Amino acid sequence: MNEHDLRGLIADVKEGGLSRRSFVQKMVAIGLSAPIATQMLAWNGVAMAQPADDYKPTKAGGGGPLKILLWQAPTLLNPHFASGTKDQIASRVFFEPLAGWDKEGNLVPQLAAEIPTKANGGLSADGKEVIWKLKQGVKWHDGKPFTADDVVFTWEYAADPATAAYTTGAYKDIKVEKVDSHTVKVIFKDPTPFWADAFVGVAGMIIPKHHFGEYKGAKSREAPANLKPVGTGPYKFVEFKPGDLLTGERNTEYHVKNKPHFDTLEVKGGGDAVSAARAVLQTGEYDYAWNMQVEDEILKRMETGGRGRVVVVPGGDVEFIILNPTDPWTEVDGERSSVKTKHPTLSDPAVRQAINLLIDRDSIQKFIYGRGGAATASFVNEPKQFKSPKLKYEFSVEKANKILDDAGWKKGADGIREKDGKKLKYVFQTSINAPRQKTQAIIKQACQRAGIDLELKSVTASVFFSSDVSNPDTYTKLYCDMEMYTTTQPQPDPERFLNQFVSWEIANKENKWLGRNVSRYGSKEADDAYKAAQKEFDPVKRAALLIKVNEIFCEANIILPLLSRTIVGASANNLVPDISGWEVTTWNLASWYRT
């Protein structure tokens, strides 16, 4: 379909000759996703569809307690320091963005009065300005009014390099102005096709100026509100025991009529995924358990208990391995894995290529994850038009051995390959849960057959995904040779997702290891393609540029994708949760109810 035909279809939707649904179906048929199709309509002045709300309760409260298991226990409640999904989920209980992404990829107003479009004057014709109108009558949990000052402050806070916010990438290159008490203008340096980043979704939660104003910049970690949040969300803070328990109570002045349904909230941390699944599916002690990283056969057996069901939602998350191109065992200027160093053996492309061939992705999918993931060689898998068609995976011990032989890595008396006195011996770390340890074991066994020795290291999830800058075992430190985890794609558009591959986001001591590029790998070609994509309005050209960024890292075998992960949770049969594959679990907690 050419540009002329596409513009004709959009004109038909505007004039009422073609329904939104029919347009989206046509776009899906030619390879675009529904979320991108809806964004195309929005950009061209067609109002965004209002998602159906199947919320049944006719009054707020009366639902009793809601009990959630978050077995990777949260350790902080400031959304702008939340580098791990567990902390993002916990923060979203109390804080809200201007808009979020529903399961269909539609932008849904939360603290905004409406979604900006060309039709309502929210989007400028040149793509450089977005005007957000804020919802009236919203109060912070302490009774203070929510205003444009809080939105502007959130930008100032996250954009300040001294704050060292995890979300800084969404704010540092924009300017935000207060138009009036309930209107703000976001100004971009260049035309910006994907403008729904700042103040949207997981990176967009608004924090109150009157609680954080004195703690912007270098004092950011000292704010009492980092652990005792005052937000606008459906539940008010009661108590937090980091690494253990979070409790809340219904916000009686919540800004959405008849919500929330539940009177109290308990988010219990700790344990493991199997025990969390059992507590929902078999014993019924809890209403919902997040991230069921449990062998699918075990989940199916648990479901026969009749108390709960497994909820599977498609999304863009990916389970992957990073091969460290820097030296994790040499300290330079107070940090290991410094970009000033080079890994003694993983800097050899042949070694990285061999390791990639030693991953039996099909077996990992079939025997471990089942409904929880599909084998992949691409970091980006959803929406489909952003998935690379050329990235393929293969499992071959024979080819891996030949590559290492040809590169001069010879097996010693102990069976481990070496060259120039350097052995192919690595520490391979991940978080503690059964599927990850079984995946490690599968990879270790194959590597042994090729003369590579892996020492398996497992770190408690609450530590591994912690934002604690003093802890050497966090995943962002990468104080090991290789590591494995899942990263969350927070929007249907993968631009922010792929800033994990740009050089200015490399995690280091200076940014308190909160830079999103944990791999430390930098590529001018990837940087240039990413910057070009940020300014490209042609959806086909833009997709090609973002695919190129993905391919550079995957073809270098720095990033080894394993599985395109689905969102898998365990829910009580009488619970109706609203789960989106483009958001954190608690993104729309106000709409959860019990039948």
Side-chain angles (χ1 to χ4, degrees):
M1 182 176 292
N2 59 37
E3 183 178 352
H4 180 268
D5 293 337
L6 184 57
R7 294 193 184 282
L9 288 175
I10 293 172
D12 287 345
V13 177
K14 283 183 175 181
E15 295 166 4
L18 182 68
S19 70
R20 289 180 60 95
R21 179 181 294 273
S22 296
F23 175 82
V24 171
Q25 288 174 341
K26 287 178 182 289
M27 294 303 100
V28 170
I30 63 171
L32 295 178
S33 72
I36 298 303
T38 59
Q39 287 294 100
M40 288 169 62
L41 290 175
W43 179 254
N44 285 278
V46 181
M48 183 106 30
Q50 293 302 309
D53 188 350
D54 63 355
Y55 186 72
K56 297 296 190 295
T58 56
K59 67 180 182 68
L66 173 62
K67 300 176 70 177
I68 296 175
L69 277 169
L70 193 64
W71 57 272
Q72 290 180 8
T75 53
L76 58 80
L77 298 173
N78 182 328
H80 297 282
F81 294 154
S83 60
T85 305
K86 62 187 180 60
D87 294 325
Q88 295 166 359
I89 290 171
S91 298
R92 192 63 172 272
V93 169
F94 307 106
F95 297 105
E96 298 174 298
L98 298 189
W101 297 99
D102 73 4
K103 67 185 68 174
E104 303 298 331
N106 294 305
L107 267 182
V108 179
Q110 292 193 304
L111 289 177
E114 60 185 8
I115 299 300
T117 64
K118 282 188 174 180
N120 63 25
L123 300 180
S124 65
D126 62 4
K128 290 186 176 182
E129 293 182 355
V130 176
I131 293 176
W132 287 95
K133 295 179 180 179
L134 310 182
K135 197 171 184 180
Q136 300 276 348
V138 178
K139 295 180 181 179
W140 294 101
H141 292 157
D142 60 4
K144 301 284 187 182
F146 160 71
T147 70
D149 291 329
D150 298 303
V151 179
V152 174
F153 171 75
T154 297
W155 160 65
E156 293 172 343
Y157 178 92
D160 187 341
T163 301
Y166 178 71
T167 57
T168 187
Y171 298 94
K172 64 184 180 64
D173 294 325
I174 63 174
K175 183 179 180 182
V176 181
E177 296 178 351
K178 175 182 175 181
V179 177
D180 59 39
S181 66
H182 283 78
T183 310
V184 297
K185 179 189 292 185
V186 179
I187 303 168
F188 301 96
K189 294 178 181 178
D190 300 296
T192 303
F194 187 70
W195 51 267
D197 187 12
F199 309 124
V200 172
V202 72
M205 286 178 259
I206 311 299
I207 57 175
K209 181 178 181 180
H210 61 287
H211 280 276
F212 287 93
E214 296 179 15
Y215 299 97
K216 180 170 71 73
K219 295 176 65 179
S220 62
R221 299 278 167 169
E222 301 171 19
N226 289 341
L227 295 175
K228 295 182 178 180
V230 175
T232 59
Y235 296 95
K236 297 172 68 173
F237 175 80
V238 173
E239 184 182 20
F240 181 44
K241 298 176 181 177
D244 180 20
L245 184 68
L246 171 65
T247 58
E249 62 185 6
R250 181 170 68 88
N251 178 7
T252 57
E253 295 189 78
Y254 189 55
H255 55 87
V256 181
K257 186 179 179 181
N258 299 332
K259 295 181 181 181
H261 172 64
F262 296 98
D263 301 302
T264 60
L265 173 70
E266 175 185 315
V267 179
K268 176 65 176 173
D272 55 56
V274 174
S275 60
R278 186 176 296 115
V280 175
L281 301 175
Q282 289 188 320
T283 68
E285 298 170 74
Y286 285 82
D287 298 298
Y288 189 87
W290 161 83
N291 191 19
M292 292 296 89
Q293 196 158 11
V294 179
E295 293 94 321
D296 202 29
E297 285 304 311
I298 294 176
L299 290 176
K300 287 177 180 176
R301 289 199 297 271
M302 287 185 181
E303 282 181 291
T304 62
R307 290 182 176 270
R309 68 194 188 282
V310 171
V311 179
V312 181
V313 178
D317 300 359
V318 63
E319 181 88 358
F320 70 108
I321 291 171
I322 295 174
L323 298 184
N324 193 348
T326 64
D327 189 348
W329 313 114
T330 300
E331 185 173 302
V332 176
D333 298 331
E335 65 176 319
R336 289 152 51 189
S337 292
S338 166
V339 292
K340 298 174 183 176
T341 64
K342 186 170 74 170
H343 196 284
T345 60
L346 288 176
S347 55
D348 184 345
V351 175
R352 301 197 302 267
Q353 184 182 2
I355 293 174
N356 192 37
L357 284 164
L358 294 168
I359 301 172
D360 189 354
R361 292 167 172 84
D362 287 333
S363 291
I364 293 168
Q365 176 190 337
K366 181 178 179 181
F367 298 111
I368 301 176
Y369 282 86
R371 290 172 289 179
T376 185
S378 179
F379 190 74
V380 177
N381 296 279
E382 296 288 346
K384 294 301 183 189
Q385 78 270 21
F386 290 106
K387 182 177 181 179
S388 169
K390 65 183 283 194
L391 292 174
K392 308 292 183 184
Y393 65 85
E394 181 182 6
F395 174 61
S396 176
V397 176
E398 182 182 356
K399 287 186 179 181
N401 271 307
K402 185 177 188 311
I403 287 169
L404 293 172
D405 286 339
D406 292 346
W409 294 94
K410 305 300 181 185
K411 288 184 179 180
D414 56 3
I416 302 171
R417 290 182 184 270
E418 61 179 291
K419 183 169 70 171
D420 301 329
K422 300 171 184 175
K423 288 180 174 289
L424 300 188
K425 297 183 69 172
Y426 304 115
V427 173
F428 177 18
Q429 79 174 14
T430 189
S431 63
I432 294 176
N433 71 52
R436 288 207 170 115
Q437 271 67 78
K438 290 186 177 182
T439 300
Q440 279 183 310
I442 288 174
I443 296 171
K444 176 182 175 72
Q445 185 179 43
C447 283
Q448 284 177 329
R449 294 165 62 192
I452 298 173
D453 182 56
L454 299 185
E455 176 188 333
L456 304 184
K457 179 181 177 181
S458 302
V459 181
T460 302
S462 59
V463 172
F464 187 70
F465 294 108
S466 168
S467 304
D468 181 0
V469 296
S470 65
N471 197 310
D473 288 329
T474 62
Y475 79 99
T476 59
K477 287 283 181 65
L478 194 63
Y479 283 0
C480 61
D481 301 293
M482 52 194 288
E483 72 177 2
M484 174 174 63
Y485 59 96
T486 284
T487 188
T488 304
Q489 185 173 334
Q491 303 130 338
D493 184 285
E495 181 184 309
R496 177 170 169 74
F497 189 55
L498 283 171
N499 74 2
Q500 295 174 76
F501 292 170
V502 295
S503 61
W504 56 89
E505 281 284 342
I506 287 175
N508 54 41
K509 181 183 177 182
E510 185 179 348
N511 58 33
K512 296 186 172 73
W513 293 277
L514 288 176
R516 299 198 74 225
N517 184 344
V518 176
S519 77
R520 277 66 162 168
Y521 188 68
S523 162
K524 184 180 183 303
E525 188 181 8
D527 287 349
D528 291 346
Y530 186 87
K531 289 176 180 176
Q534 290 181 301
K535 303 174 184 178
E536 181 56 67
F537 281 84
D538 183 310
V540 177
K541 292 178 182 177
R542 187 164 181 277
L545 288 164
L546 292 174
I547 286 172
K548 184 177 182 180
V549 175
N550 179 21
E551 289 174 346
I552 288 169
F553 274 67
C554 293
E555 289 178 336
N557 294 307
I558 293 294
I559 299 295
L560 311 181
L562 305 182
L563 297 162
S564 173
R565 292 283 305 278
T566 52
I567 310 299
V568 181
S571 172
N573 283 330
N574 63 356
L575 180 70
V576 183
D578 186 354
I579 309 296
S580 169
W582 307 112
E583 279 276 14
V584 295
T585 298
T586 49
W587 83 280
N588 195 20
L589 197 60
S591 293
W592 290 29
Y593 66 96
R594 201 188 311 278
T595 57

